[in-house]
Amino acid sequence: MAGQSKSRVHRKPTLDLENELAGRGFDLIVGFDEVGRGALAGPVMVGAAAIWARRLPDYGVPERLADSKLLTEHRREALFEPLQTWCAAHAVGQASNAEIDEWGISHALGVAALRALNGVERTLGLDAETHAGNTVDAAVSSNAASSSTASSSATVPASATASSALQIGAILDGPNDYITKALNTFDAPDVPIAAHVTTLVKADQRCASVAAASVIAKVTRDRLMVSIARGNNLYRPYQWDHNKGYGSAAHREAIARYGATDLHRRSWHLV
């Protein structure tokens, strides 16, 4: 029993690295985490959760927040909406199974992450036209005029220094910076402001913004795979509503019996 209890103890994420990046002059901190990298079917997704540096003193780490892999499905679902309110903006970018087959998983992850970053920046009003002067005061003006439904949580802090260049610091879970590698490639979206990326192994367990991105991405992808599985009889034998596209025994047996679908990653070893 003691061994079982100890195995369930996990590190509570903090805002330590977010505060460190704020101290280095970054105005917006964005945590990134991926989901679906190892799946046999469906897209890979990268979640992004953004918080304003100047509001960090007012932030607390949401109760029971942890890396999505350490949470039950029930707990992830319970956290999903509160986390969207907690951060200034959030987005989930994805790359399809066809894009994974064409580009490889690393580049697909980079493009998905940039799609998420693009979504966050546009939610905050940091589009190319607004950001022509690359200034915080331009972003403030844009946000004041925004009619976004998330405007109350996406407002640029009034204390942001006028006319200073707006800088974005990103925290990416893992050792490899696939975001910067994908930037300005033909397949990637035009991101209004490039982020300076800091990689950190187990960032999803250590950093609150990354843990939030992890949960948001996980719930988003799981819901999609369940919807696909239950919405079309063609996909029912693969049991994606249970395995979410990962290589369970039942999933591999269905591939062997029925063949791969249009949503499988055909460049992967499926059986």
Side-chain angles (χ1 to χ4, degrees):
M1 291 293 292
Q4 290 179 351
S5 175
K6 185 176 181 181
S7 67
R8 293 174 184 171
V9 175
H10 57 265
R11 181 197 301 266
K12 181 179 180 180
T14 70
L15 290 165
D16 291 349
L17 183 52
E18 288 87 343
N19 276 295
E20 179 183 328
L21 292 176
R24 287 163 53 188
F26 292 103
D27 302 289
L28 186 69
I29 314 299
V30 187
F32 289 90
D33 198 21
E34 67 193 49
V35 63
R37 174 195 279 263
L40 305 182
V44 67
M45 293 188 179
V46 179
I51 51 182
W52 288 110
R54 290 181 178 270
R55 287 190 174 158
L56 275 168
D58 302 323
Y59 273 93
V61 177
E63 187 70 21
R64 299 189 181 182
L65 175 63
D67 170 22
S68 65
K69 296 185 291 295
L70 302 176
L71 300 172
T72 64
E73 181 178 359
H74 176 75
R75 175 52 54 190
R76 291 193 298 267
E77 287 284 349
L79 282 168
F80 186 65
E81 290 188 8
L83 287 177
Q84 293 178 74
T85 303
W86 175 77
C87 51
H90 67 277
V92 177
Q94 66 175 290
S96 70
N97 60 297
E99 290 174 324
I100 294 169
D101 286 339
E102 181 181 354
W103 303 334
I105 189 63
S106 182
H107 186 61
L109 282 165
V111 172
L114 289 171
R115 287 169 176 168
L117 179 60
N118 187 53
V120 161
E121 294 188 15
R122 294 186 188 284
T123 294
L124 294 172
L126 307 180
D127 55 35
E129 185 174 326
T130 295
H131 196 64
N134 199 38
T135 61
V136 172
D137 54 332
V140 173
S141 299
S142 173
N143 252 252
S146 175
S147 59
S148 169
T149 56
S151 60
S152 60
S153 62
T155 304
V156 176
S159 57
T161 305
S163 73
S164 62
L166 196 152
Q167 298 185 70
I168 297 177
I171 306 172
L172 176 62
D173 180 48
N176 300 313
D177 177 11
Y178 50 70
I179 297 178
T180 303
K181 289 179 181 177
L183 191 66
N184 297 323
T185 61
F186 179 81
D187 311 298
D190 293 327
V191 178
I193 311 170
H196 175 86
V197 178
T198 297
T199 59
L200 179 66
V201 174
K202 297 190 183 299
D204 48 5
Q205 297 180 31
R206 300 170 64 179
C207 303
S209 64
V210 181
S214 172
V215 173
I216 291 171
K218 174 65 173 169
V219 173
T220 299
R221 188 180 185 280
D222 282 1
R223 288 180 177 180
L224 173 66
M225 296 306 293
V226 169
S227 176
I228 291 172
R230 296 177 179 174
N232 189 325
N233 288 332
L234 174 66
Y235 304 125
R236 287 183 185 273
Y238 304 92
Q239 299 185 31
W240 294 339
D241 49 339
H242 297 292
N243 59 54
K244 311 305 188 291
Y246 287 91
S248 68
H251 187 182
R252 291 185 184 277
E253 288 171 7
I255 296 172
R257 181 174 181 181
Y258 301 106
T261 71
D262 58 336
L263 295 181
H264 279 99
R265 303 174 186 177
R266 293 174 179 267
S267 61
W268 290 40
H269 182 66
L270 297 177
V271 293

